[in-house]
């Protein structure tokens, strides 16, 4: 049975975007915490299926996620969202003979933002969560090299991106990543006028 997707309203988040399940559901919220902070494998499989369903609908896109501040600070061993994404896309590639794009780590976190950012589960007002929205992330040098190779060696002319977060509250993280990528791709487009791109944002829970 296919999942039912939901869309946030502009009153809930900074910009409307699609999410899969409600974070207000105690069972779902508990499962996300069990996976993110305890590495629960059953919860992980559940969320992999959610992402896989989304990937099948969206098709051949470049999948990425906002980098984890807790992982970057060494407070967690893995970036749980990116691990979910990699697992789901790896399964998808098995069933598409590798034609689906692999999940890619596209963003780096601003060192200034990383220093002052507290984990969202600790708390934080809407003002704090939405502050400096366009100064949070940069495009990783490693991805810039991959993009250059895609354009100049593989002659790829269209790039379709999906940015997927685990939980959206204000949606600020998703928007910050999208704006960062869009600014960079616009610069690439000015140098290569025949290049086109689109960026979609989603969250598993809201």
């Amino acid at each position: 049975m296919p999942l039912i997707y939901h869309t946030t309203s502009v009153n809930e988040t900074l910009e409307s975007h699609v999410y899969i399940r409600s974070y207000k559901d105690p069972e779902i919220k508990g499962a996300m915490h069990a996976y993110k902070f305890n590495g629960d494998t059953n919860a992980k499989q559940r969320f992999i299926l959610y992402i896989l369903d989304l990937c099948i609908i969206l098709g051949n896109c470049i999948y990425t996620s906002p980098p984890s501040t807790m992982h970057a600070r060494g407070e967690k061993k893995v970036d749980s969202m990116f691990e979910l994404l990699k697992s789901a896309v790896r399964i998808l590639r098995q069933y598409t003979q590798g034609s689906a794009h692999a999940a890619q780590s596209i963003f780096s976190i601003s060192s200034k933002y990383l220093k002052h950012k507290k984990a969202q589960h600790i708390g934080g007002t809407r003002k704090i969560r939405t502050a400096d929205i366009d100064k949070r992330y940069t495009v990783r040098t490693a991805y810039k090299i991959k993009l250059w190779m895609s354009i100049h060696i593989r002659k790829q002319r269209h790039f379709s991106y999906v940015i997927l977060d685990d939980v959206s509250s204000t949606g600020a993280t998703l928007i910050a990543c999208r704006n960062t990528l869009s600014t960079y791709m616009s610069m690439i487009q000015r140098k290569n006028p025949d290049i086109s791109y689109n960026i979609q944002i989603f969250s598993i829970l809201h």
Side-chain angles (χ1 to χ4, degrees):
M1 184 176 179
L3 293 174
I4 298 174
Y5 296 94
H6 313 273
T7 305
T8 65
S9 70
V10 291
N11 295 324
E12 295 177 294
T13 51
L14 296 178
E15 289 186 23
S16 178
H17 65 269
V18 172
Y19 65 97
I20 299 174
R21 292 292 301 267
S22 173
Y23 191 55
K24 296 176 183 178
D25 183 328
E27 180 190 351
I28 297 296
K29 182 176 181 178
M32 179 57 76
H33 276 253
Y35 167 60
K36 285 180 67 174
F37 301 111
N38 300 315
D40 184 278
T41 54
N42 290 329
K44 179 179 181 178
Q45 291 303 316
R46 181 176 195 168
F47 294 119
I48 285 174
L49 290 176
Y50 289 169
I51 298 172
L52 189 58
D53 186 89
L54 181 66
C55 289
I56 291 170
I57 290 173
L58 293 174
N60 192 18
C61 301
I62 299 169
Y63 297 93
T64 190
S65 65
S68 165
T69 54
M70 294 183 71
H71 177 247
R73 288 196 299 260
E75 297 170 10
K76 290 171 61 179
K77 291 183 178 180
V78 297
D79 184 338
S80 51
M81 182 62 231
F82 192 59
E83 288 299 313
L84 276 178
L85 199 54
K86 284 197 299 184
S87 297
V89 175
R90 191 181 300 122
I91 294 169
L92 182 65
R93 286 172 63 82
Q94 290 177 356
Y95 287 94
T96 58
Q97 287 74 51
S99 63
H101 284 296
Q104 298 188 31
S105 179
I106 291 179
F107 304 103
S108 294
I109 310 175
S110 158
S111 57
K112 182 178 178 181
Y113 176 69
L114 185 63
K115 180 179 178 181
H116 297 288
K117 174 70 168 61
K118 293 182 179 179
Q120 290 197 18
H121 71 281
I122 294 175
T125 64
R126 183 182 180 93
K127 182 179 180 180
I128 291 172
R129 292 188 179 193
T130 58
D132 299 324
I133 190 170
D134 289 327
K135 300 177 182 178
R136 297 184 181 187
Y137 304 105
T138 58
V139 177
R140 295 178 70 236
T141 300
Y143 183 70
K144 292 178 180 179
I145 294 170
K146 285 184 180 180
L147 185 62
W148 186 93
M149 292 176 65
S150 295
I151 294 171
H152 297 286
I153 298 177
R154 290 189 285 274
K155 304 301 181 182
Q156 186 174 342
R157 287 296 172 264
H158 180 71
F159 298 85
S160 183
Y161 296 96
V162 173
I163 305 173
L164 181 65
D165 205 358
D166 49 7
V167 182
S168 62
S169 50
T170 61
T173 300
L174 285 167
I175 293 167
C177 285
R178 188 208 51 203
N179 290 356
T180 296
L181 182 58
S182 181
T183 297
Y184 185 72
M185 291 303 295
S186 294
M187 182 189 72
I188 295 296
Q189 199 174 46
R190 286 194 294 272
K191 296 178 179 178
N192 304 271
D194 58 337
I195 296 296
S196 62
Y197 69 93
N198 67 285
I199 306 170
Q200 302 178 75
I201 56 174
F202 297 86
S203 65
I204 301 176
L205 307 178
H206 168 71

